[in-house]
């Protein structure tokens, strides 16, 4: 029985109801001597408590997509086939473009929300470079199947959950595809392909999207194997101009780190309540070693770039929960690196889906503007800093559409009219600041 399925939820509810009924019906009817009656009544109370706690866990897990299956919950899942030393660039000297084309079989993903807005596809991917074997979820925009778009390619956003967290969370708890479908249809946001790969690869540990020889090559899984699979099977833009990352919590850290570490693979990143130091997640394997912490801290990585990378970064967070991480990076960013930081009021919510879900329309509006005007476009609609010039991301001609990886070439880029300036519903744009980001009141180093 699936951990996140409706049958398990209904079974838990039924057991809870039975547990409540038993004491009411049998409390005064338990036969036998006093010690036996006492033991029976104690067992009934424990049964009530156990079923109530189980029901609460199931409801919380379903609402936040923390554990995808029993293996994740019990810590028995391991999706790493091998973890060779792949070197600084995470390829092990292999040119990914030289590998044979990867053809995948896709099926409809299970779950009620996974069937909404046209449905989500899922495939089981064997990472040829990373040695990771895991599932990847893909949602195609409404334009993808239209005849007018058959020869064009679409930009891609790689979606990363927190820890613990399921790759399905973006389509389940956050309902990103349901929110974006009408916005894509009327042109308020670009028609992105949404890709959500599994990030929970090891038992009881957060990979921190890091490559750790002998343990896991999560960075290569996310930035090499998954993009190659997508471009081989869908009419997707090529890297880096057509690719972005987005994440919340631990996934926000990964999204920023991947874009800063690999500006040759990603052009933009979105961080919702993220952090810079991998130690921000107590279970992070990258946070346990000083060298790994240094190599996977996007603040340090950006500062180490000899030439500022042409990327755009978006941060949002409350004070003490993501805002300072973005402000620190904004303080050291130099053109053509562009950084926007949104300060959310404490009243906006906690470190949960209720805070992140309402931000998605603004986030994808921001991504749309970045893909249409580039990371160096002229002033943004909200008046925040954008640093001069015209980017080569701008489409200068041809009809709106996509260019097929399997099709006859098309060089056009998907374009839409710029959306109206989004609102943060009480949030304010923040200038450079120093400090640390944390999901709790505890401090974090950059």
């Amino acid at each position: 029985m699936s951990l996140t399925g409706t049958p398990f939820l209904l079974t838990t509810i039924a057991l809870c109801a039975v547990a409540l009924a038993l004491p009411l019906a049998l409390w005064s009817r338990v036969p036998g001597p006093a010690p036996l009656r006492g033991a029976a009544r104690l067992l009934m109370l424990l049964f009530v408590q156990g079923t109530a706690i189980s029901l609460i866990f199931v409801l919380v897990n379903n609402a936040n997509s923390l554990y995808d299956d029993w293996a994740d919950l019990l810590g028995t899942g391991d999706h790493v086939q091998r973890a060779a030393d792949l070197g600084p660039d995470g390829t092990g000297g292999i040119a990914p473009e030289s590998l044979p084309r990867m053809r995948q079989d896709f099926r409809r993903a299970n779950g009620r929300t996974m069937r909404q807005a046209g449905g989500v596809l899922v495939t089981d991917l064997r990472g040829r470079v990373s040695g990771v074997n895991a599932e990847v979820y893909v949602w195609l925009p409404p334009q993808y199947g239209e005849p007018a778009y058959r020869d064009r390619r679409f930009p891609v956003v790689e979606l990363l959950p927190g820890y613990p967290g399921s790759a399905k969370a973006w389509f389940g708890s956050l309902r990103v595809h349901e929110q974006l479908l009408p916005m894509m249809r009327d042109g308020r946001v670009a028609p992105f392909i949404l890709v959500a790969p599994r990030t929970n690869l090891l038992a009881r540990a957060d990979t921190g999207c890091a490559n750790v020889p002998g343990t896991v090559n999560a960075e290569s899984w996310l930035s090499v194997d998954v993009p190659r699979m997508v471009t081989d099977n869908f009419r997707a833009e090529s890297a880096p101009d057509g690719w972005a990352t987005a994440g919340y919590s631990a996934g926000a850290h990964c999204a920023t780190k991947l874009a800063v570490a690999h500006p040759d693979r990603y052009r933009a990143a979105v961080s919702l309540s993220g952090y810079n130091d991998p130690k921000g997640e107590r279970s992070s394997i990258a946070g346990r070693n000083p060298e790994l912490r240094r190599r996977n801290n996007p603040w340090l990585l950006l500062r180490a770039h000899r030439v500022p990378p042409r990327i755009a970064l978006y941060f949002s967070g409350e004070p003490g929960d993501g805002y300072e991480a973005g402000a620190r990076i904004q303080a050291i960013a130099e053109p053509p690196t562009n950084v926007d930081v949104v300060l959310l009021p404490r009243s906006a919510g906690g470190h949960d889906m209720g805070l992140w879900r309402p931000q998605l329309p603004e986030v994808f509006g921001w991504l749309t503007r970045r893909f249409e005007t580039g990371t160096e476009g002229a002033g943004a609609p909200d008046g925040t800093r954008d640093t001069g010039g015209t980017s080569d991301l701008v489409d200068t001609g041809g009809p709106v559409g996509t260019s097929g990886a399997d099709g006859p070439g098309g060089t056009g880029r998907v374009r839409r009219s710029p959306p109206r300036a989004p609102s943060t519903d009480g949030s304010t744009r923040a200038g450079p600041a120093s400090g640390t980001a944390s999901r709790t009141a505890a401090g974090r180093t950059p």
Side-chain angles (χ1 to χ4, degrees):
M1 191 178 294
S2 171
L3 176 64
T4 57
T6 300
F8 183 67
L9 173 61
L10 295 177
T11 300
T12 307
I13 293 173
L15 288 174
C16 192
V18 170
L20 289 172
L22 282 177
L24 296 175
L26 303 177
W27 191 266
S28 59
R29 300 181 183 180
V30 178
L36 182 60
R37 294 197 304 273
R41 290 167 179 167
L42 178 61
L43 287 175
M44 285 191 287
L45 292 177
L46 291 176
F47 186 38
V48 171
Q49 293 294 322
T51 55
I53 292 172
S54 298
L55 178 58
I56 292 173
F57 163 78
V58 171
L59 293 174
V60 171
N61 186 60
N62 288 353
N64 295 280
S65 301
L66 300 175
Y67 298 99
D68 195 19
D69 52 37
W70 289 101
D72 289 343
L73 175 63
L74 301 176
T76 58
D78 191 338
H79 296 268
V80 179
Q81 177 185 4
R82 66 182 186 279
D85 187 345
L86 299 178
D89 68 348
T91 65
I94 301 171
E97 62 275 10
S98 69
L99 295 173
R101 179 167 288 185
M102 179 185 302
R103 291 301 188 185
Q104 290 289 123
D105 293 325
F106 289 83
R107 61 188 183 277
R108 293 288 179 180
N110 295 325
R112 183 179 60 84
T113 59
M114 306 296 278
R115 294 192 293 268
Q116 302 300 317
V120 179
L121 304 174
V122 61
T123 188
D124 298 312
L125 175 63
R126 298 179 64 86
R128 293 179 291 182
V129 175
S130 67
V132 170
N133 302 330
E135 70 273 18
V136 181
Y137 295 89
V138 178
W139 181 79
L140 302 174
Q143 292 88 346
Y144 191 88
E146 296 179 3
Y149 292 78
R150 66 180 179 272
D151 295 326
R152 303 291 181 176
R153 292 180 292 177
F154 291 78
V156 182
V157 182
E158 202 168 342
L159 306 174
L160 308 176
Y163 178 84
S166 165
K168 296 161 62 173
W170 278 87
F171 304 109
S173 304
L174 291 179
R175 298 178 181 267
V176 61
H177 56 323
E178 295 184 57
Q179 292 194 63
L180 296 184
L181 180 64
M183 301 180 70
M184 289 181 180
R185 281 177 171 163
D186 63 20
R188 283 176 289 163
V189 300
F192 295 103
I193 294 175
L194 305 181
V195 179
R198 170 180 277 270
T199 57
N200 190 5
L201 305 175
L202 298 173
R204 300 187 182 91
D206 171 33
T207 64
C209 63
N211 277 4
V212 183
T215 303
V216 65
N217 284 320
E219 181 176 343
S220 297
W221 160 251
L222 296 172
S223 67
V224 179
D225 284 329
V226 171
R228 176 60 196 269
M229 182 276 292
V230 173
T231 55
D232 278 354
N233 289 271
F234 299 97
R235 300 194 309 273
E237 289 276 9
S238 58
D241 289 344
W243 281 73
T245 58
Y248 61 85
S249 190
H253 161 74
C254 285
T256 307
K257 178 266 177 107
L258 290 175
V260 174
H262 301 291
D264 59 327
R265 301 173 193 175
Y266 302 99
R267 190 60 76 215
V270 171
S271 169
L272 306 178
S273 304
Y275 49 86
N276 293 329
D277 189 341
K279 197 175 181 180
E281 171 52 59
R282 291 188 296 272
S283 300
S284 171
I285 58 174
R288 301 172 187 171
N289 177 284
E291 177 61 19
L292 286 176
R293 285 176 64 186
R294 184 190 66 80
R295 293 195 338 236
N296 290 278
N297 185 324
W299 183 78
L300 294 175
L301 291 174
L302 182 61
R303 195 175 65 171
H305 273 286
R306 293 183 179 180
V307 178
R310 188 165 67 87
I311 55 175
L313 305 175
Y314 177 101
F315 296 85
S316 76
E318 297 175 319
D321 187 16
Y323 160 67
E324 290 85 354
R328 287 187 68 88
I329 287 183
Q330 186 183 58
I332 65 169
E334 298 180 2
T337 303
N338 179 266
V339 181
D340 288 327
V341 183
V342 176
L343 175 62
L344 301 175
R346 291 187 181 276
S347 59
H351 191 84
D352 56 28
M353 300 297 181
L355 176 68
W356 304 316
R357 190 184 302 113
Q359 297 183 59
L360 298 187
E362 177 183 0
V363 162
F364 280 86
W366 179 89
L367 283 169
T368 297
R369 295 193 296 276
R370 299 287 76 76
F371 276 84
E372 287 179 341
T373 62
T375 61
E376 303 174 84
D382 52 26
T384 56
R385 174 172 59 91
D386 271 337
T387 55
T390 302
S391 168
D392 60 10
L393 294 184
V394 176
D395 184 13
T396 57
V400 176
T402 65
S403 173
D406 322 332
T411 58
R413 181 175 300 276
V414 172
R415 300 199 62 214
R416 278 291 179 263
S417 300
R420 294 186 296 274
S423 168
T424 55
D425 193 19
S427 304
T428 57
R429 288 284 172 176
S434 61
T436 58
S438 173
R439 290 182 298 167
T440 65
R444 286 180 179 154
T445 58

